[in-house]
Amino acid sequence: MSSSRPRRDFPNAEHDHSHCAAHALGQADLICEARGVRLTEIRRRVLEVIWDSHVPIGAYDILAKLNAGGGRSAPMAVYRALDFLIENGLVHRIDSRNAFFGCSHPEEPHRAQFLICNVCSAVAELDSEALHETVRRTARTKGFRVENVVIEASGRCPNCARKSAP
Amino acid sequence: MSSSRPRRDFPNAEHDHSHCAAHALGQADLICEARGVRLTEIRRRVLEVIWDSHVPIGAYDILAKLNAGGGRSAPMAVYRALDFLIENGLVHRIDSRNAFFGCSHPEEPHRAQFLICNVCSAVAELDSEALHETVRRTARTKGFRVENVVIEASGRCPNCARKSAP
DNA sequence: TGCGAAATGTGATATTATAACATACTAAGG
DNA sequence: CCTTAGTATGTTATAATATCACATTTCGCA
């Protein structure tokens, strides 16, 4: 009832992002291998595009990036890849933005909450079981049986908060 | 740091819904009057349609109901009315469903969280400042300054939970 | 009454997502 | 190897959600 277990903070501007992306792709390979599911070409490319940054990206922006090199994929291809990636915990959907971004610790299933910067759009993922449990418990007092919880906070990330009114 | 202040629970099937709706409309009149804003014809009709039930309704479904009697309104009219109603706290938007529903206690501004039944779609509004504060505080530990919080839990409402696996 | 702001009308279009059906690929058993 | 059943992808169309831009009307008030 107390463990707030953050796994990834807001990255600073100078971090080596290619490392994040490479690591995520490597993890995805391992996870899919372990689970006996296939990280096919298009699924992998969608995941790569998503990991181009720490900013959530819309399905049609993913599509545009896929097709930037002359590709001819259709929206369905992207949505199907996203379905797969989400189902396997490799990607999260941000409901309040209709956008997608890469899960930073997909190796185990988890309840995630999101912090979304209104200035730079960066997202950090919390993983507070306590928070989740608090919602569940509060709901329970109304006789409501929780199956899924969406928690998305928007505001200023540390980097952007520093630059504006402190 | 402890007050969970629920204002409306899940209504049971037999409740006199015309009362809910009438009360909400009356409240809306009073609130707009007090604030010096205008609850115009179309805004009022949109609010009425929303209060036809305790189930969140999509913008185009609102439009269809408005036009059911031979009306000729366009989507913009509905979205503009919704903007007004949301801005004035009379209606909430459920991000995870792209749908709207009537606020049950609009007389004062508040942070709301939602419980959404996956079976019957009924929504109950929590108003737990504690929950909101927990999110804010947790975010703060990451240096994140919260401006807005979305909390939407889906699951089984008491009525539907009773009918299925107990 | 007439002015300026607010509200609404109108038509086009942007954005997000899914349906339906055809084709191609893959893995596993015979 | 070959078939085959299931999985994945291609393709076209369309549904569902939301906004832009500009014209017109209405309202409160000087």
Side-chain angles (χ1 to χ4, degrees), chain B residues 14-85:
Chain B
E14 303 82 23
H15 82 290
D16 179 4
H17 186 66
S18 66
H19 175 73
C20 303
H23 180 256
L25 271 288
Q27 283 286 95
D29 283 329
L30 293 174
I31 288 166
C32 290
E33 168 95 40
R35 291 186 194 161
V37 297
R38 293 162 55 207
L39 189 62
T40 59
E41 176 66 13
I42 190 150
R43 290 168 178 172
R44 195 169 209 282
R45 288 207 294 140
V46 167
L47 187 57
E48 271 173 19
V49 167
I50 288 173
W51 273 103
D52 270 0
S53 80
H54 286 292
V55 169
I57 182 173
Y60 278 74
D61 290 337
I62 293 171
L63 183 62
K65 284 203 179 191
L66 278 185
N67 287 345
R72 298 242 154 250
S73 293
M76 268 314 298
V78 172
Y79 281 105
R80 284 198 281 232
L82 287 171
D83 284 347
F84 171 88
L85 295 168

Side-chain angles (χ1 to χ4, degrees), chain A residues 6 9-10 95-96 115-116 118 131 134 139 142-158 161 165-166, chain B residues 6 9-10 95-96 116 118 131 134 139 142-158 161 165-166:
Chain A
D9 290 358
F10 286 97
D95 281 331
S96 59
L115 306 178
I116 310 155
N118 282 329
L131 208 43
T134 303
K142 321 277 293 186
F144 188 86
R145 188 187 306 161
V146 170
E147 289 168 359
N148 186 58
V149 178
V150 172
I151 299 182
E152 297 173 8
S154 60
R156 300 286 175 111
C157 76
Chain B
D9 290 358
F10 286 97
D95 281 330
S96 59
I116 309 155
N118 282 329
L131 207 42
T134 302
K142 321 276 296 184
F144 188 86
R145 187 186 307 160
V146 170
E147 290 167 358
N148 187 59
V149 179
V150 172
I151 299 182
E152 297 172 9
S154 59
R156 299 287 175 112
C157 76

Side-chain angles (χ1 to χ4, degrees), chain A residues 3-83:
Chain A
S3 67
S4 181
R5 301 179 285 141
R7 304 297 179 77
R8 168 156 72 68
D9 290 358
F10 286 97
N12 60 40
E14 302 83 22
H15 81 291
D16 178 4
H17 185 67
S18 66
H19 174 73
C20 303
H23 180 256
L25 272 287
Q27 283 286 95
D29 283 328
L30 294 175
I31 288 166
C32 290
E33 168 94 40
R35 292 188 193 158
V37 297
R38 294 162 55 205
L39 189 62
T40 59
E41 176 64 15
I42 189 147
R43 290 168 177 172
R44 195 168 211 281
R45 288 207 294 138
V46 166
L47 187 58
E48 270 174 18
V49 167
I50 287 172
W51 273 103
D52 270 359
S53 81
H54 286 292
V55 168
I57 182 173
Y60 278 75
D61 290 336
I62 293 171
L63 182 63
K65 285 203 179 191
L66 278 185
N67 287 345
R72 298 240 154 252
S73 293
M76 268 313 299
V78 172
Y79 281 105
R80 285 198 279 232
L82 287 170
D83 284 347

Side-chain angles (χ1 to χ4, degrees), chain A residues 53-143:
Chain A
S53 81
H54 286 292
V55 168
I57 182 173
Y60 278 75
D61 290 336
I62 293 171
L63 182 63
K65 285 203 179 191
L66 278 185
N67 287 345
R72 298 240 154 252
S73 293
M76 268 313 299
V78 172
Y79 281 105
R80 285 198 279 232
L82 287 170
D83 284 347
F84 171 88
L85 295 169
I86 290 169
E87 190 156 323
N88 286 282
L90 300 168
V91 163
H92 292 295
R93 180 193 160 90
I94 310 288
D95 281 331
S96 59
R97 309 261 167 144
N98 298 330
F100 305 85
F101 92 116
C103 177
S104 50
H105 43 97
E107 56 283 356
E108 58 186 28
H110 59 280
R111 326 277 191 176
Q113 303 89 37
F114 307 109
L115 306 178
I116 310 155
C117 181
N118 282 329
V119 176
C120 69
S121 296
V123 172
E125 188 177 328
L126 299 178
D127 180 19
S128 170
E129 186 60 35
L131 208 43
H132 185 271
E133 200 41 52
T134 303
V135 172
R136 177 183 291 277
R137 193 161 23 76
T138 306
R140 200 64 196 164
T141 67
K142 321 277 293 186

